[in-house]
Amino acid sequence: MANWESVLEELFTGVMGMQDPTVWIMFLIGGLLIWLGVKKDYEPMLLFPMGVGCILANIPGHFAVIPTGGGEPGFLTVLYNAGIANELFPVLIFIAVGAMCDFTPLIRAPYVMLFAAAAHFGIFAAALLAAMVGFPFNEAASIGIIGAADGPTTIFVAQEFATNLLAPLTVTAFCYMSLVPIIQPPIVKLMTTKHERRIRMGFKEEKPVSWTAKFLFPFMVVLFAGILAPISVPLIGALMFGNMLKVSGVCDSLSNAAQNELSNLVTLFLGITVGATMTAENILTFDVLKILALGAVAFVFDTVGGVLFAKIANLFLKKKINPMIGACGISAFPMSGRVIAKLALKEDPTNYIIQHAMGVNVAGQVASVVAGGLVLALIPVLG
């Protein structure tokens, strides 16, 4: 009889586990991520794998993470240990992003870094608020880095200083990155007038940047950031290495592989692995609700900081700039640049500011890595 009871218990482990309401809540969260990716087209390459990973990790009695009662880790745990716990996936993603970036607008107009710096104000706002609501300094700073609008940077910092919050921090960062098309437009509209949103920054032929300048630029950035904050070298080094492959002109096959195969493969593994960290015990807590709210604060202040800086700059410029491009200073590349360019076209179908928006967005990608490096360097000193 006892054997039959054991057999039945083993067979119906999953069925019995479905009585836990938190399982259904997590299924709904996973389904929401899938719906946003598939039906709303909000970064489906991130949200779809995350949603699937969330559902797999919350099936009662499953073997995808760690089997009930112990045993060998499941494939999602293997992926986590191989790519998240040792920060490998974020570094590989940065190689791919670097190969996709064109830093020519930044080299031609270095002043756009000012917009990028202003658009990272959310890091400080969120970190200060996190400390005020009771998070320790290292956790508050890790929460603030959500304001870098860069999921891999968030993973890297959280793995160093807030491992216990890695799951909610990573999920929050990637989700808000994906929701840039929802978050930024209403804030930009609230902060600008119709006249400002219609300011033209037409396309113009720029003087070409020499191959030498484009090739030396990533080296100089790595040296500057590495000397200023040595702990940032894995991030900034990977980003600029990817760009070096692109601009060298002799590594086209490697550059193409980084932009396509490497990017797609790591995004696939990263998405489903991050989703697998979304278990009920990791997500359904009051601290996670606070992190979600603070992440929203970070993105709001990022957008406000960038737009406000552009509006202030217009007070001193003869040739006015469209203040909406200030919002592109976050690292959500190329999402933010596309969103702002579409917003300008919505106001005036003949106003194409994509060139300028992408230039600021590229600067934001560099600024996010530098910001992450500074946080990594300062936490041990100030904490």
Side-chain angles (χ1 to χ4, degrees), residues 103-104 107 209-222 240-241 243-251:
F103 292 124
T104 302
I107 299 171
V209 176
S210 69
W211 175 87
T212 303
K214 289 190 286 188
F215 188 68
L216 290 180
F217 176 78
F219 282 101
M220 299 306 295
V221 172
V222 170
M240 293 305 167
F241 170 62
N243 191 251
M244 293 172 198
L245 291 176
K246 178 179 181 178
V247 301
S248 68
V250 294
C251 298

Coordinates of all heavy atoms in Angstrom, one line a residue, residues 103-104 107 209-222 240-241 243-251:
F103 N 30.0 54.3 -34.0 CA 30.3 55.4 -33.1 C 30.7 56.7 -33.9 O 31.2 57.6 -33.3 CB 31.5 55.0 -32.2 CG 31.1 54.0 -31.2 CD1 31.9 52.8 -31.1 CD2 30.1 54.2 -30.3 CE1 31.5 51.9 -30.1 CE2 29.7 53.3 -29.4 CZ 30.5 52.1 -29.3
T104 N 30.5 56.6 -35.2 CA 30.9 57.8 -36.0 C 30.2 59.1 -35.6 O 30.8 60.1 -35.5 CB 30.5 57.5 -37.5 OG1 31.3 56.4 -38.0 CG2 30.9 58.7 -38.4
I107 N 32.0 60.3 -32.5 CA 33.3 60.9 -32.8 C 33.2 62.2 -33.5 O 33.9 63.2 -33.2 CB 34.1 59.9 -33.7 CG1 34.2 58.5 -33.1 CG2 35.4 60.5 -34.1 CD1 34.8 57.5 -34.0
V209 N 34.5 60.6 -41.3 CA 35.4 60.4 -40.2 C 36.5 59.4 -40.7 O 36.1 58.3 -41.3 CB 34.7 59.8 -38.9 CG1 35.7 59.5 -37.8 CG2 33.7 60.8 -38.4
S210 N 37.7 59.6 -40.5 CA 38.8 58.8 -41.0 C 38.7 57.4 -40.3 O 38.3 57.2 -39.2 CB 40.1 59.4 -40.8 OG 40.5 59.4 -39.4
W211 N 39.2 56.4 -41.1 CA 39.3 55.0 -40.6 C 40.2 55.0 -39.3 O 39.9 54.3 -38.3 CB 39.9 54.1 -41.6 CG 40.1 52.7 -41.1 CD1 39.2 51.7 -41.1 CD2 41.3 52.2 -40.5 NE1 39.8 50.6 -40.5 CE2 41.1 50.8 -40.1 CE3 42.6 52.7 -40.2 CZ2 42.0 50.0 -39.5 CZ3 43.5 51.9 -39.6 CH2 43.2 50.6 -39.2
T212 N 41.3 55.8 -39.3 CA 42.2 55.8 -38.1 C 41.4 56.3 -36.9 O 41.6 55.7 -35.8 CB 43.4 56.8 -38.4 OG1 44.0 56.3 -39.6 CG2 44.3 56.8 -37.2
A213 N 40.6 57.3 -37.0 CA 39.9 57.9 -35.9 C 38.9 56.8 -35.4 O 38.7 56.6 -34.2 CB 39.1 59.1 -36.3
K214 N 38.1 56.2 -36.3 CA 37.2 55.1 -35.9 C 37.8 53.9 -35.2 O 37.3 53.3 -34.3 CB 36.3 54.7 -37.1 CG 35.4 55.8 -37.6 CD 34.4 55.2 -38.6 CE 35.0 55.0 -39.9 NZ 34.0 54.7 -41.0
F215 N 39.0 53.6 -35.7 CA 39.7 52.4 -35.1 C 40.4 52.7 -33.8 O 40.4 51.9 -32.9 CB 40.8 52.0 -36.1 CG 41.5 50.7 -35.7 CD1 40.7 49.5 -35.8 CD2 42.8 50.6 -35.3 CE1 41.3 48.3 -35.4 CE2 43.4 49.4 -34.9 CZ 42.6 48.2 -35.0
L216 N 40.9 54.0 -33.6 CA 41.5 54.3 -32.4 C 40.5 54.7 -31.3 O 40.8 54.6 -30.1 CB 42.5 55.5 -32.6 CG 43.7 55.2 -33.4 CD1 44.6 56.5 -33.5 CD2 44.6 54.1 -32.7
F217 N 39.3 55.1 -31.7 CA 38.3 55.5 -30.7 C 38.0 54.5 -29.6 O 38.1 54.7 -28.4 CB 37.0 56.0 -31.4 CG 35.9 56.3 -30.4 CD1 35.9 57.5 -29.8 CD2 34.9 55.4 -30.2 CE1 34.9 57.9 -28.9 CE2 33.9 55.7 -29.3 CZ 33.9 57.0 -28.7
P218 N 37.7 53.2 -30.0 CA 37.4 52.2 -29.0 C 38.6 51.9 -28.1 O 38.5 51.7 -26.9 CB 37.0 51.0 -29.8 CG 37.5 51.2 -31.2 CD 37.5 52.7 -31.4
F219 N 39.8 52.0 -28.6 CA 41.0 51.8 -27.8 C 41.1 52.9 -26.7 O 41.4 52.6 -25.6 CB 42.3 51.8 -28.7 CG 42.6 50.5 -29.4 CD1 42.2 50.4 -30.7 CD2 43.1 49.4 -28.7 CE1 42.5 49.2 -31.4 CE2 43.3 48.2 -29.4 CZ 43.0 48.1 -30.8
M220 N 40.9 54.1 -27.2 CA 41.0 55.2 -26.2 C 39.9 55.1 -25.1 O 40.2 55.4 -24.0 CB 40.9 56.6 -27.0 CG 42.0 56.8 -28.0 SD 43.6 56.6 -27.3 CE 43.6 58.0 -26.2
V221 N 38.7 54.7 -25.5 CA 37.6 54.6 -24.5 C 38.0 53.5 -23.5 O 37.8 53.7 -22.3 CB 36.3 54.3 -25.2 CG1 35.2 54.0 -24.2 CG2 35.9 55.5 -26.1
V222 N 38.5 52.4 -24.0 CA 38.9 51.3 -23.1 C 40.0 51.8 -22.1 O 39.9 51.5 -20.9 CB 39.3 50.1 -23.8 CG1 40.0 49.0 -22.9 CG2 38.2 49.5 -24.6
M240 N 33.9 47.5 -26.7 CA 34.8 48.1 -27.7 C 35.5 47.0 -28.6 O 35.8 47.3 -29.7 CB 35.8 49.0 -27.0 CG 35.1 50.2 -26.4 SD 34.2 51.1 -27.6 CE 33.2 52.2 -26.5
F241 N 35.7 45.8 -28.0 CA 36.3 44.8 -28.9 C 35.3 44.4 -30.0 O 35.8 44.3 -31.2 CB 36.5 43.5 -28.0 CG 36.9 42.3 -28.8 CD1 38.0 42.3 -29.6 CD2 36.0 41.2 -28.8 CE1 38.3 41.1 -30.3 CE2 36.4 40.1 -29.5 CZ 37.5 40.0 -30.3
N243 N 33.3 46.4 -31.4 CA 33.4 47.5 -32.4 C 34.7 47.5 -33.2 O 34.7 47.8 -34.4 CB 33.2 48.9 -31.7 CG 33.0 50.0 -32.6 OD1 33.9 50.9 -32.8 ND2 31.9 50.1 -33.3
M244 N 35.8 47.1 -32.5 CA 37.0 47.0 -33.2 C 36.9 45.9 -34.3 O 37.5 46.1 -35.4 CB 38.1 46.5 -32.2 CG 38.5 47.6 -31.2 SD 39.6 46.8 -30.0 CE 39.5 48.0 -28.6
L245 N 36.2 44.8 -34.1 CA 36.0 43.8 -35.1 C 35.4 44.5 -36.4 O 35.7 44.2 -37.5 CB 35.2 42.7 -34.6 CG 35.8 41.8 -33.6 CD1 34.8 40.7 -33.1 CD2 37.0 41.0 -34.1
K246 N 34.4 45.3 -36.1 CA 33.6 45.9 -37.2 C 34.5 46.9 -38.0 O 34.5 46.9 -39.2 CB 32.4 46.6 -36.6 CG 31.5 47.4 -37.6 CD 30.3 48.0 -37.0 CE 29.5 48.7 -38.0 NZ 28.2 49.3 -37.4
V247 N 35.1 47.8 -37.3 CA 35.8 48.9 -38.0 C 37.2 48.5 -38.5 O 37.7 49.2 -39.4 CB 36.0 50.2 -37.0 CG1 34.7 50.6 -36.6 CG2 36.9 49.9 -35.9
S248 N 37.7 47.4 -38.1 CA 39.0 47.0 -38.6 C 39.1 46.7 -40.1 O 40.1 47.0 -40.7 CB 39.5 45.7 -37.8 OG 38.7 44.6 -38.2
G249 N 37.9 46.2 -40.6 CA 37.8 46.0 -42.0 C 38.4 44.7 -42.5 O 38.3 44.3 -43.7
V250 N 39.1 43.9 -41.6 CA 39.7 42.7 -41.9 C 39.1 41.5 -41.2 O 39.5 40.4 -41.3 CB 41.2 42.7 -41.7 CG1 41.9 43.7 -42.6 CG2 41.5 43.0 -40.2
C251 N 38.1 41.8 -40.4 CA 37.4 40.7 -39.6 C 35.9 40.7 -39.8 O 35.1 40.6 -38.9 CB 37.7 40.9 -38.1 SG 39.4 40.9 -37.6

